[in-house]
Amino acid sequence: MMLLTVILVLFLLLVMYLLFVPIIGYINTNTHQYYIQLKGLVKANFEGHKEELLQVKMKLLFFHFYFYPFKKKLNSHKKETVKKETSVKRKQKLKLKAGMKLLKVFKIKQFYVDVDTGNFTNNAKLYPLFAFLNYKVGGFHINFEGRNHLVLKIQTRPIHLINSFINL
């Protein structure tokens, strides 16, 4: 009986950990880092590849492996599907509402944009807008030196994602 209680408590602690562990998405075009991470459990790095378009380096606890999501499968059979006629406007309204609720659960932890359009006139026109956005929000910069960079780090928790889908 005691062993069953210990196993049940450990299982509940694991479920609680999985509900509250942060999910982090990171994009840095300067250092070419692109990843999605479930803190402490799994990390998926997206990298370029010579033969394939994209390779994903997965780190799952102590295991490291690569896979190629755009690799063609040899024996892929296409199944025909029958579409039901439904109200298009209702579906679009639900998708927009769900998308907006889903966007609200993500928190921006780090944001930095450094842009050069390649045209001095366009840069000069964008400069006041970027200065205002940098003053109000932060992270917006325009340059005249040919640099284009984006750094974006977003974070959410699985419990927030589940809550947004339940409260549609």
Side-chain angles (χ1 to χ4, degrees), residues 58-142:
M58 292 287 294
K59 295 179 185 177
L60 179 65
L61 293 176
F62 305 110
F63 304 105
H64 302 330
F65 57 92
Y66 292 90
F67 72 92
Y68 306 93
F70 297 119
K71 196 171 193 175
K72 291 184 180 178
K73 296 185 179 178
L74 298 176
N75 295 327
S76 62
H77 299 288
K78 293 184 179 179
K79 296 180 181 179
E80 295 181 22
T81 58
V82 178
K83 294 184 178 180
K84 297 179 183 179
E85 291 184 26
T86 57
S87 173
V88 175
K89 287 184 180 180
R90 183 170 183 238
K91 278 189 173 182
Q92 287 177 347
K93 188 176 180 181
L94 283 174
K95 286 181 183 179
L96 182 64
K97 186 177 178 182
M100 291 304 291
K101 281 198 169 215
L102 189 63
L103 279 177
K104 287 180 182 178
V105 282
F106 287 94
K107 305 291 184 224
I108 297 175
K109 294 294 184 180
Q110 184 179 6
F111 180 75
Y112 177 78
V113 172
D114 194 11
V115 177
D116 181 13
T117 62
N119 184 342
F120 289 111
T121 309
N122 288 340
N123 283 357
K125 289 177 182 177
L126 285 174
Y127 190 82
L129 174 67
F130 274 49
F132 176 73
L133 288 173
N134 193 34
Y135 176 72
K136 288 289 186 183
V137 180
F140 289 91
H141 301 279
I142 196 154

